[in-house]
Amino acid sequence: MRKTFGKFVAGASALALLGSLLAACGTNASQNASGGAGEAGGDGGKMYIPIVSKGFQHQFWQAVKQGAEKAAAELNVEITFEGPESESQVDKQIEMLQVALDKKPDAIGFAALDSKASAPLLEQAKANDIPVVAFDSGVESDIPVATAATDNIAAAGLAADKMAELIGGEGEIAMIVHDQTSRTGVDRRDGFKNRIEEKYPNIKIVDIQYGGGDHLKSTDLAKAIMQAHPNLKGFFGANEGSAIGVLNAVKEMNMQGKITIIGYDSGKQQIDAIKNGEMAGAITQNPIGIGYETVKAAVAAAKGETVEPNIDTGFFYYDKSNIDDEEIKAVLYE
Amino acid sequence: MNPSVATTKASSRFRIPPGALQQLLAFASLIVLVVVFSLSSGNFLQFSNIVGILMSTAVIGVLALGSTFVIITGGIDLSVGTVMTLSAVMTGVFITFWGMPVAVGVVGGVLTGALCGFLSGVFVSKLKIPPFIATLAMMMVAKGLALVISGAKPIYFTDPHATNFSRISLGSLLGIPFAVLVFFGAAIVGGLVLSKTIVGRYNFALGSNEEATRLSGVNVNFWKIVIYTITGTFTGLAGVLIASRLNSANPALGQGYELEAIAAVVIGGTSLSGGKGTIVGTVIGALIMSVLTNGLRILSVPQEWQTVVVGLVILLAVYTDILRRRKSA
């Protein structure tokens, strides 16, 4: 057994060695990048703009990244794109922002998970004359020179109007929202809820539950809501995971066609469900546009040009009738 | 929940064998919950809702079954949530990327879990890394690999030859979804392994006194690896179930599931200090968790409070376990 243990130790040390080698390469690369960017500052070389996002593994962020890369290629600047694994990792994001600032970039793109927590670093950026462009949900601070974001309140309001129209202006509806603390969660919930309460007195929102954007949890939540409210006529899912959860629940309870589902965001399953009529429609943001506008504004700000402070990157309601329009196709991401 | 505290005191007078007490308590709590929710909402005891509850127990339940094994050794497996995700992703890779037949993909997914469990077992037994750390590392490795392999995108089982894949969870027999049947089937197999085989016997021996087990000539390292592999196999099965129910393998899924699985095991009376536990207990524990959340949802209790209640139930479960051991000591 001692022999095998020795082998493991050897293996482990080899792994550690490999790890440190990789780490060394990593440092070199980033040093090069920051070095290059430093020189680039004024003499026409490549600008360096790090983008610190709220995440990277969801399709939405991948689409934002795609837009940012498109702008970077067009404007001939270098970007990096990173974000924490989950949207609760505020501290990790702060660390990423810190590292990004330490590289002395020409400008920075930032989607804050927590505006207050990032305030000191934003002050630091300001002190070092690094323009900050906020994206996605904005930063409650006057330091960002611009914010490229979807007006989630208005977008959810549009979803409420569509819901009212589809269920004939009366009846019980429910909502599954991803969470009750993030800006997008709160805005979409309130945007939808307030519009219903203000404009449609005969529609009653019987329940609002939070599924953390987890597909399986949202499915179970939606099933319980349907169980508790057998007369439910409509269901709003406030992000991709929530909407898919609602869709699964309706399918598992064989209520297709009896409950009107309106979703948010896109993704293959939502697109398919809308095409085959299981989901009435959904709101889509323009994540590619968010990424694109962020980099564009950052470059302009770094050059000292004036930028529009509020860049509305827009939203659309898509359903069976317009899902194949070029305008919609461009903003859907699978 | 209060009634179960009351029963603790009452039942000790009736001299129920200590081993069965925790399980009886858990079962009584389950019945109490079902009765309370049935009385307070007419929608609770409908067939479709019962099926819904069983369905939402299936994935976490299978994870909890697996976790029972390592927890009885006095160890823990923090990686089950993300290994489940990795198994789901690998099932997707086998079936849709590589075009393998569904059955082969399913076996591959289960084996992925088994392999991860095997590795955790090797880290814990041969490398002597504490289970908490070894499986924490495995948790991160699995999470990262799931993202890398899937390209950080969900994999959909939409290939023509994969049309039967979603039936593994969603198909049904006499109105009972297959996912539920798989869960109960897995529970029966798990229960037999734990109570009737040599693996089970060594499992309890390891958890009660590892040193004594070693001194009596048992190859402790070998059996630990076997047990972690069993846990991994259940985890792989959970991965197949979740992928099949959602008809997709989402690499962002599964975070925090390990804690829910551990909670179900603990509520079911398995002791985190090892040496004691049952599969039946875990099934009941998992059912208590989902009956509780389902019932509170149906009563439209605000979700923040649902979380508080589940937390309190876990506290209560562990506390009754401590009470019981104090009495039997």
Side-chain angles (χ1 to χ4, degrees):
Chain A
M1 194 165 39
R2 186 160 291 165
K3 223 174 177 182
T4 41
F5 185 65
K7 260 189 227 161
F8 274 112
V9 171
S13 14
L15 218 91
L17 195 68
L18 186 70
S20 46
L21 271 173
L22 281 174
C25 292
T27 348
N28 283 341
S30 60
Q31 270 165 1
N32 288 344
S34 64
E39 288 157 28
D43 50 47
K46 259 196 177 185
M47 250 184 209
Y48 173 57
I49 301 168
I51 312 283
V52 178
S53 153
K54 286 181 176 178
F56 71 96
Q57 63 197 36
H58 288 94
Q59 291 156 287
F60 182 81
W61 300 116
Q62 292 282 327
V64 172
K65 184 181 173 197
Q66 196 188 323
E69 279 167 352
K70 188 172 164 230
E74 280 176 20
L75 300 167
N76 194 28
V77 297
E78 189 188 333
I79 62 160
T80 49
F81 189 97
E82 59 181 345
E85 280 158 14
S86 100
E87 298 199 3
S88 56
Q89 293 174 326
V90 177
D91 50 334
K92 219 173 216 179
Q93 194 195 32
I94 297 293
E95 217 179 283
M96 289 172 174
L97 183 60
Q98 178 74 63
V99 171
L101 285 172
D102 290 345
K103 290 184 195 164
K104 307 217 180 325
D106 298 276
I108 204 163
F110 181 55
L113 286 173
D114 182 329
S115 322
K116 289 208 180 76
S118 50
L121 287 179
L122 293 176
E123 290 290 344
Q124 191 189 321
K126 193 182 176 188
N128 290 326
D129 283 325
I130 301 169
V132 177
V133 175
F135 66 98
D136 187 44
S137 58
V139 179
E140 287 158 40
S141 152
D142 49 12
I143 292 176
V145 293
T147 301
T150 313
D151 184 343
N152 276 298
I153 297 182
L158 175 61
D161 287 333
K162 292 288 178 184
M163 176 68 82
E165 185 189 317
L166 289 168
I167 65 170
E170 58 175 358
E172 294 183 346
I173 59 172
M175 300 160 70
I176 299 276
V177 183
H178 40 293
D179 70 74
Q180 64 259 69
T181 46
S182 76
R183 188 81 258 147
T184 58
V186 170
D187 282 353
R188 289 178 200 173
R189 179 192 65 198
D190 293 349
F192 188 91
K193 187 168 159 262
N194 294 343
R195 179 72 57 90
I196 293 284
E197 284 167 358
E198 281 157 19
K199 271 181 74 181
Y200 308 102
N202 296 327
I203 298 180
K204 190 171 171 244
I205 299 176
V206 292
D207 206 349
I208 303 174
Q209 297 276 348
Y210 306 89
D214 183 300
H215 296 56
L216 185 66
K217 279 191 187 140
S218 303
T219 304
D220 288 331
L221 278 172
K223 277 177 92 170
I225 292 177
M226 288 166 67
Q227 201 69 45
H229 304 281
N231 297 323
L232 206 68
K233 281 170 81 175
F235 229 131
F236 174 55
N239 79 339
E240 193 211 348
S242 312
I244 296 302
V246 169
L247 179 69
N248 287 342
V250 169
K251 276 202 231 171
E252 286 184 18
M253 296 190 64
N254 282 319
M255 297 285 277
Q256 293 104 314
K258 290 174 197 143
I259 291 185
T260 302
I261 309 171
I262 291 182
Y264 210 110
D265 294 330
S266 84
K268 189 175 181 344
Q269 280 170 306
Q270 288 208 64
I271 294 171
D272 288 348
I274 288 170
K275 282 186 176 161
N276 70 24
E278 286 168 342
M279 189 179 281
I283 298 286
T284 178
Q285 310 186 66
N286 183 355
I288 298 173
I290 293 175
Y292 187 85
E293 294 295 337
T294 302
V295 171
K296 205 174 134 198
V299 170
K303 287 184 181 159
E305 296 164 10
T306 45
V307 285
E308 177 68 34
N310 288 308
I311 307 165
D312 184 355
T313 51
F315 57 84
F316 303 91
Y317 178 80
Y318 65 104
D319 58 19
K320 218 174 182 172
S321 68
N322 68 354
I323 196 163
D324 288 323
D325 292 0
E326 286 307 315
E327 185 189 41
I328 298 292
K329 258 191 182 162
V331 295
L332 297 183
Y333 43 99
E334 290 208 340
Chain B
M1 287 129 271
N2 278 334
S4 55
V5 175
T7 18
T8 319
K9 285 175 185 155
S11 51
S12 62
R13 245 178 271 142
F14 295 112
R15 294 187 183 280
I16 291 170
L21 179 64
Q22 183 72 19
Q23 219 164 291
L24 272 176
L25 265 181
F27 190 65
S29 320
L30 179 60
I31 300 295
V32 168
L33 280 177
V34 170
V35 170
V36 168
F37 287 132
S38 314
L39 291 179
S40 39
S41 168
N43 296 317
F44 180 80
L45 214 55
Q46 286 174 358
F47 181 69
S48 60
N49 193 47
I50 300 298
V51 170
I53 290 173
L54 293 174
M55 193 73 177
S56 65
T57 318
V59 170
I60 293 285
V62 171
L63 282 186
L65 290 175
S67 301
T68 311
F69 285 84
V70 276
I71 292 176
I72 289 176
T73 65
I76 194 131
D77 193 341
L78 294 178
S79 71
V80 296
T82 56
V83 167
M84 173 190 83
T85 309
L86 179 61
S87 302
V89 166
M90 286 311 293
T91 310
V93 167
F94 294 140
I95 296 177
T96 64
F97 290 5
W98 296 353
M100 290 179 172
V102 171
V104 177
V106 166
V107 172
V110 175
L111 287 181
T112 304
L115 178 66
C116 293
F118 171 79
L119 290 174
S120 290
V122 170
F123 300 152
V124 169
S125 62
K126 299 269 188 186
L127 302 192
K128 305 287 178 234
I129 299 172
F132 192 90
I133 305 297
T135 60
L136 184 70
M138 179 53 76
M139 167 177 166
M140 301 172 88
V141 169
K143 186 201 273 181
L145 282 179
L147 285 166
V148 172
I149 292 168
S150 64
K153 284 186 192 127
I155 301 171
Y156 301 100
F157 295 86
T158 42
D159 282 15
H161 80 284
T163 42
N164 275 329
F165 182 67
S166 67
R167 279 182 53 79
I168 295 171
S169 270
L170 295 175
S172 64
L173 186 72
L174 305 173
I176 310 286
F178 286 161
V180 176
L181 299 176
V182 170
F183 168 48
F184 285 119
I188 290 169
V189 172
L192 289 176
V193 169
L194 197 58
S195 61
K196 304 281 180 216
T197 68
I198 191 166
V199 188
R201 230 175 306 142
Y202 287 152
N203 198 343
F204 285 107
L206 274 173
S208 304
N209 192 335
E210 188 176 328
E211 188 58 13
T213 313
R214 195 180 62 80
L215 291 175
S216 52
V218 174
N219 186 344
V220 166
N221 283 349
F222 173 78
W223 290 107
K224 260 195 196 167
I225 294 176
V226 170
I227 290 163
Y228 275 88
T229 308
I230 291 177
T231 300
T233 309
F234 278 97
T235 309
L237 181 63
V240 171
L241 281 185
I242 195 170
S244 146
R245 181 160 180 208
L246 300 174
N247 208 26
S248 63
N250 190 328
L253 214 69
Q255 297 184 24
Y257 282 43
E258 61 285 338
L259 296 181
E260 285 186 37
I262 293 168
V265 174
V266 166
I267 291 175
T270 296
S271 166
L272 279 177
S273 42
K276 187 174 80 69
T278 59
I279 289 293
V280 178
T282 296
V283 171
I284 295 172
L287 285 173
I288 286 181
M289 295 262 291
S290 37
V291 164
L292 198 60
T293 43
N294 176 278
L296 294 172
R297 275 168 199 165
I298 286 196
L299 296 182
S300 297
V301 171
Q303 207 166 4
E304 298 81 349
W305 287 106
Q306 295 179 14
T307 318
V308 173
V309 171
V310 172
L312 291 176
V313 168
I314 294 173
L315 267 184
L316 195 74
V318 178
Y319 181 63
T320 51
D321 176 47
I322 289 172
L323 270 188
R324 190 190 68 68
R325 272 192 289 165
R326 219 181 274 159
K327 277 186 184 143
S328 62

